[in-house]
Amino acid sequence: MKDIPLFTTENGAANLILGCAPGFGTAYVRVLSAQDGDALARECAAFCQAAGAEAVYATGLPEQESWPLSTEIWRMTAQKASLPQSQAELIPVTAETLEEWVTLYNRKFRAVPNAVWLSPGLGQAVLKAREAFFVWLAGQTVGIAKGAENEIHAVAALAPGGGRAAVLALARELAGPEITLEVASVNGKALALYQSLGFRKTETLAKWYKIG
Ligand SMILES: CC(C)(COP(=O)(O)OP(=O)(O)OC[C@H]1O[C@@H](n2cnc3c(N)ncnc32)[C@H](O)[C@@H]1OP(=O)(O)O)[C@@H](O)C(=O)NCCC(=O)NCCS
């Protein structure tokens, strides 16, 4: 499903992100300008719902808007040198294993706030960028991971301890000295994991409200 870069009405303008609607049933609205935030949000939500989204979230609404806060997105960082050692290893995803990895990713991230649904096209892009990995520990696959440069894009556990293994194995291969990631403030399990490994919140990047 194509995004709408500029959706304009007499109440304002927004960028409608519809790429996750087919898989996760979610759509995202970045408000660019609003004369009447409530009215614009209602119009955006109606458009996204007509395009197949069951849940619609917006950011950039004026502070006094009355929609319920869904989540904040936080940046967290840690010094690579201070992270614990791990025996876990990364196994790069190949053309043969891509479908399995994408299926696992979409299963684990369906309920994660603001997660991106990987369409077949995005899956191919991830493969080409060499950003996707299985995480291997003590003879079994314990997680999946995605990242590039100094940034962790995604980690998920497929066995107890898999989340920790995924963060540490990926961080070891990423560029330092600082490792960074983005997390939804309402994702308690992810926050607990990152904090236990020494990641600290450095910035609030966005506030997302549920609209419609
Ligand atoms: C965030 C996350 C990695 C934290 O992990 P953790 O609390 O440290 O958990 P552990 O590493 O001890 O592993 C437990 C996980 O392994 C899963 N698991 C255990 N045995 C499993 C098995 N045989 N097959 C598949 N999964 C299994 C559990 O379901 C649990 O995952 P869940 O929290 O999604 O329910 C984990 O909750 C997760 O994968 N969440 C979904 C993806 C996510 O939110 N990622 C972070 C985004 S920023």
mmCIF file of all heavy atoms in Angstrom, residues 142-171:
data_model
loop_
_atom_site.group_PDB
_atom_site.id
_atom_site.type_symbol
_atom_site.label_atom_id
_atom_site.label_comp_id
_atom_site.label_asym_id
_atom_site.label_seq_id
_atom_site.Cartn_x
_atom_site.Cartn_y
_atom_site.Cartn_z
ATOM 1 N N VAL A 142 18.206 -18.689 19.001
ATOM 2 C CA VAL A 142 17.525 -18.150 20.188
ATOM 3 C C VAL A 142 16.879 -16.795 19.930
ATOM 4 O O VAL A 142 16.170 -16.268 20.782
ATOM 5 C CB VAL A 142 18.490 -18.037 21.395
ATOM 6 C CG1 VAL A 142 18.982 -19.412 21.821
ATOM 7 C CG2 VAL A 142 19.662 -17.102 21.080
ATOM 8 N N GLY A 143 17.160 -16.216 18.751
ATOM 9 C CA GLY A 143 16.566 -14.901 18.494
ATOM 10 C C GLY A 143 16.806 -14.456 17.071
ATOM 11 O O GLY A 143 17.432 -15.161 16.264
ATOM 12 N N ILE A 144 16.265 -13.287 16.773
ATOM 13 C CA ILE A 144 16.541 -12.642 15.493
ATOM 14 C C ILE A 144 16.974 -11.204 15.794
ATOM 15 O O ILE A 144 16.634 -10.649 16.853
ATOM 16 C CB ILE A 144 15.330 -12.665 14.536
ATOM 17 C CG1 ILE A 144 14.089 -12.049 15.186
ATOM 18 C CG2 ILE A 144 15.051 -14.064 14.031
ATOM 19 C CD1 ILE A 144 12.902 -11.906 14.242
ATOM 20 N N ALA A 145 17.724 -10.620 14.853
ATOM 21 C CA ALA A 145 18.233 -9.271 15.072
ATOM 22 C C ALA A 145 18.374 -8.558 13.739
ATOM 23 O O ALA A 145 18.540 -9.188 12.692
ATOM 24 C CB ALA A 145 19.599 -9.339 15.764
ATOM 25 N N LYS A 146 18.294 -7.228 13.811
ATOM 26 C CA LYS A 146 18.483 -6.396 12.619
ATOM 27 C C LYS A 146 19.167 -5.109 13.069
ATOM 28 O O LYS A 146 18.788 -4.523 14.100
ATOM 29 C CB LYS A 146 17.119 -6.086 11.987
ATOM 30 C CG LYS A 146 17.152 -5.155 10.801
ATOM 31 C CD LYS A 146 15.755 -5.026 10.214
ATOM 32 C CE LYS A 146 15.658 -4.032 9.092
ATOM 33 N NZ LYS A 146 16.074 -2.676 9.397
ATOM 34 N N GLY A 147 20.166 -4.680 12.303
ATOM 35 C CA GLY A 147 20.851 -3.445 12.665
ATOM 36 C C GLY A 147 21.878 -3.070 11.630
ATOM 37 O O GLY A 147 22.200 -3.873 10.732
ATOM 38 N N ALA A 148 22.374 -1.840 11.718
ATOM 39 C CA ALA A 148 23.405 -1.355 10.802
ATOM 40 C C ALA A 148 24.117 -0.175 11.443
ATOM 41 O O ALA A 148 23.554 0.505 12.307
ATOM 42 C CB ALA A 148 22.789 -0.918 9.477
ATOM 43 N N GLU A 149 25.347 0.067 10.991
ATOM 44 C CA GLU A 149 26.204 1.125 11.532
ATOM 45 C C GLU A 149 26.271 0.979 13.052
ATOM 46 O O GLU A 149 26.702 -0.055 13.526
ATOM 47 C CB GLU A 149 25.710 2.497 11.070
ATOM 48 C CG GLU A 149 25.781 2.572 9.534
ATOM 49 C CD GLU A 149 25.235 3.846 8.953
ATOM 50 O OE1 GLU A 149 24.790 4.726 9.698
ATOM 51 O OE2 GLU A 149 25.265 3.954 7.721
ATOM 52 N N ASN A 150 25.797 1.992 13.813
ATOM 53 C CA ASN A 150 25.861 1.818 15.276
ATOM 54 C C ASN A 150 24.468 1.659 15.873
ATOM 55 O O ASN A 150 24.269 1.877 17.067
ATOM 56 C CB ASN A 150 26.582 2.997 15.931
ATOM 57 C CG ASN A 150 25.746 4.257 15.883
ATOM 58 O OD1 ASN A 150 24.959 4.453 14.957
ATOM 59 N ND2 ASN A 150 25.903 5.103 16.865
ATOM 60 N N GLU A 151 23.506 1.243 15.027
ATOM 61 C CA GLU A 151 22.116 1.230 15.496
ATOM 62 C C GLU A 151 21.474 -0.155 15.475
ATOM 63 O O GLU A 151 21.505 -0.850 14.451
ATOM 64 C CB GLU A 151 21.279 2.183 14.644
ATOM 65 C CG GLU A 151 19.874 2.312 15.154
ATOM 66 C CD GLU A 151 19.158 3.556 14.651
ATOM 67 O OE1 GLU A 151 19.691 4.219 13.740
ATOM 68 O OE2 GLU A 151 18.088 3.848 15.166
ATOM 69 N N ILE A 152 20.876 -0.528 16.604
ATOM 70 C CA ILE A 152 20.046 -1.735 16.691
ATOM 71 C C ILE A 152 18.652 -1.355 16.189
ATOM 72 O O ILE A 152 18.008 -0.484 16.766
ATOM 73 C CB ILE A 152 19.974 -2.235 18.148
ATOM 74 C CG1 ILE A 152 21.356 -2.701 18.614
ATOM 75 C CG2 ILE A 152 18.939 -3.347 18.293
ATOM 76 C CD1 ILE A 152 21.424 -3.084 20.089
ATOM 77 N N HIS A 153 18.210 -1.991 15.087
ATOM 78 C CA HIS A 153 16.875 -1.702 14.558
ATOM 79 C C HIS A 153 15.818 -2.563 15.241
ATOM 80 O O HIS A 153 14.703 -2.093 15.475
ATOM 81 C CB HIS A 153 16.811 -1.985 13.059
ATOM 82 C CG HIS A 153 17.747 -1.149 12.233
ATOM 83 N ND1 HIS A 153 18.122 -1.486 10.963
ATOM 84 C CD2 HIS A 153 18.392 0.022 12.510
ATOM 85 C CE1 HIS A 153 18.943 -0.570 10.476
ATOM 86 N NE2 HIS A 153 19.136 0.342 11.403
ATOM 87 N N ALA A 154 16.145 -3.819 15.482
ATOM 88 C CA ALA A 154 15.147 -4.743 16.036
ATOM 89 C C ALA A 154 15.833 -5.958 16.628
ATOM 90 O O ALA A 154 16.814 -6.453 16.065
ATOM 91 C CB ALA A 154 14.197 -5.198 14.924
ATOM 92 N N VAL A 155 15.296 -6.424 17.762
ATOM 93 C CA VAL A 155 15.712 -7.723 18.310
ATOM 94 C C VAL A 155 14.467 -8.432 18.810
ATOM 95 O O VAL A 155 13.509 -7.779 19.247
ATOM 96 C CB VAL A 155 16.709 -7.609 19.492
ATOM 97 C CG1 VAL A 155 18.053 -7.069 19.040
ATOM 98 C CG2 VAL A 155 16.142 -6.745 20.618
ATOM 99 N N ALA A 156 14.457 -9.750 18.726
ATOM 100 C CA ALA A 156 13.340 -10.522 19.283
ATOM 101 C C ALA A 156 13.865 -11.857 19.783
ATOM 102 O O ALA A 156 14.821 -12.414 19.230
ATOM 103 C CB ALA A 156 12.249 -10.730 18.235
ATOM 104 N N ALA A 157 13.228 -12.356 20.848
ATOM 105 C CA ALA A 157 13.644 -13.609 21.482
ATOM 106 C C ALA A 157 12.811 -14.764 20.953
ATOM 107 O O ALA A 157 11.590 -14.671 20.850
ATOM 108 C CB ALA A 157 13.468 -13.492 22.994
ATOM 109 N N LEU A 158 13.488 -15.873 20.637
ATOM 110 C CA LEU A 158 12.796 -17.099 20.212
ATOM 111 C C LEU A 158 12.988 -18.198 21.244
ATOM 112 O O LEU A 158 12.557 -19.335 21.041
ATOM 113 C CB LEU A 158 13.338 -17.569 18.855
ATOM 114 C CG LEU A 158 13.221 -16.553 17.713
ATOM 115 C CD1 LEU A 158 13.898 -17.083 16.458
ATOM 116 C CD2 LEU A 158 11.762 -16.223 17.429
ATOM 117 N N ALA A 159 13.680 -17.887 22.320
ATOM 118 C CA ALA A 159 13.924 -18.828 23.415
ATOM 119 C C ALA A 159 14.309 -18.003 24.630
ATOM 120 O O ALA A 159 14.743 -16.853 24.474
ATOM 121 C CB ALA A 159 15.049 -19.790 23.046
ATOM 122 N N PRO A 160 14.160 -18.561 25.841
ATOM 123 C CA PRO A 160 14.549 -17.789 27.028
ATOM 124 C C PRO A 160 16.000 -17.311 26.911
ATOM 125 O O PRO A 160 16.879 -18.080 26.531
ATOM 126 C CB PRO A 160 14.384 -18.803 28.178
ATOM 127 C CG PRO A 160 13.355 -19.773 27.653
ATOM 128 C CD PRO A 160 13.578 -19.865 26.181
ATOM 129 N N GLY A 161 16.230 -16.044 27.220
ATOM 130 C CA GLY A 161 17.576 -15.474 27.109
ATOM 131 C C GLY A 161 17.915 -15.003 25.708
ATOM 132 O O GLY A 161 18.990 -14.425 25.482
ATOM 133 N N GLY A 162 17.004 -15.200 24.779
ATOM 134 C CA GLY A 162 17.285 -14.841 23.386
ATOM 135 C C GLY A 162 17.364 -13.350 23.143
ATOM 136 O O GLY A 162 18.099 -12.903 22.259
ATOM 137 N N GLY A 163 16.619 -12.577 23.917
ATOM 138 C CA GLY A 163 16.658 -11.127 23.748
ATOM 139 C C GLY A 163 18.035 -10.582 24.103
ATOM 140 O O GLY A 163 18.635 -9.808 23.349
ATOM 141 N N ARG A 164 18.533 -11.013 25.239
ATOM 142 C CA ARG A 164 19.873 -10.577 25.695
ATOM 143 C C ARG A 164 20.923 -11.008 24.674
ATOM 144 O O ARG A 164 21.793 -10.212 24.291
ATOM 145 C CB ARG A 164 20.153 -11.218 27.066
ATOM 146 C CG ARG A 164 21.469 -10.849 27.683
ATOM 147 C CD ARG A 164 21.623 -11.548 29.047
ATOM 148 N NE ARG A 164 22.673 -10.924 29.837
ATOM 149 C CZ ARG A 164 23.961 -11.201 29.734
ATOM 150 N NH1 ARG A 164 24.373 -12.107 28.857
ATOM 151 N NH2 ARG A 164 24.842 -10.580 30.494
ATOM 152 N N ALA A 165 20.822 -12.265 24.233
ATOM 153 C CA ALA A 165 21.806 -12.778 23.267
ATOM 154 C C ALA A 165 21.770 -11.949 21.985
ATOM 155 O O ALA A 165 22.818 -11.632 21.410
ATOM 156 C CB ALA A 165 21.499 -14.246 22.961
ATOM 157 N N ALA A 166 20.567 -11.593 21.539
ATOM 158 C CA ALA A 166 20.434 -10.845 20.280
ATOM 159 C C ALA A 166 21.064 -9.461 20.407
ATOM 160 O O ALA A 166 21.811 -9.026 19.525
ATOM 161 C CB ALA A 166 18.961 -10.739 19.899
ATOM 162 N N VAL A 167 20.775 -8.762 21.499
ATOM 163 C CA VAL A 167 21.346 -7.415 21.684
ATOM 164 C C VAL A 167 22.877 -7.488 21.713
ATOM 165 O O VAL A 167 23.566 -6.724 21.022
ATOM 166 C CB VAL A 167 20.832 -6.764 22.990
ATOM 167 C CG1 VAL A 167 21.582 -5.469 23.276
ATOM 168 C CG2 VAL A 167 19.337 -6.509 22.909
ATOM 169 N N LEU A 168 23.403 -8.434 22.490
ATOM 170 C CA LEU A 168 24.857 -8.462 22.686
ATOM 171 C C LEU A 168 25.600 -8.940 21.441
ATOM 172 O O LEU A 168 26.659 -8.403 21.097
ATOM 173 C CB LEU A 168 25.201 -9.324 23.903
ATOM 174 C CG LEU A 168 24.659 -8.764 25.231
ATOM 175 C CD1 LEU A 168 25.009 -9.682 26.388
ATOM 176 C CD2 LEU A 168 25.171 -7.343 25.482
ATOM 177 N N ALA A 169 25.036 -9.937 20.746
ATOM 178 C CA ALA A 169 25.707 -10.424 19.533
ATOM 179 C C ALA A 169 25.690 -9.349 18.450
ATOM 180 O O ALA A 169 26.681 -9.150 17.739
ATOM 181 C CB ALA A 169 25.030 -11.702 19.033
ATOM 182 N N LEU A 170 24.559 -8.664 18.333
ATOM 183 C CA LEU A 170 24.463 -7.621 17.302
ATOM 184 C C LEU A 170 25.373 -6.439 17.654
ATOM 185 O O LEU A 170 26.129 -5.950 16.807
ATOM 186 C CB LEU A 170 23.006 -7.170 17.158
ATOM 187 C CG LEU A 170 22.730 -6.089 16.113
ATOM 188 C CD1 LEU A 170 23.147 -6.551 14.716
ATOM 189 C CD2 LEU A 170 21.247 -5.712 16.109
ATOM 190 N N ALA A 171 25.304 -5.987 18.900
ATOM 191 C CA ALA A 171 26.105 -4.818 19.307
ATOM 192 C C ALA A 171 27.597 -5.069 19.074
ATOM 193 O O ALA A 171 28.329 -4.156 18.676
ATOM 194 C CB ALA A 171 25.835 -4.488 20.771
#
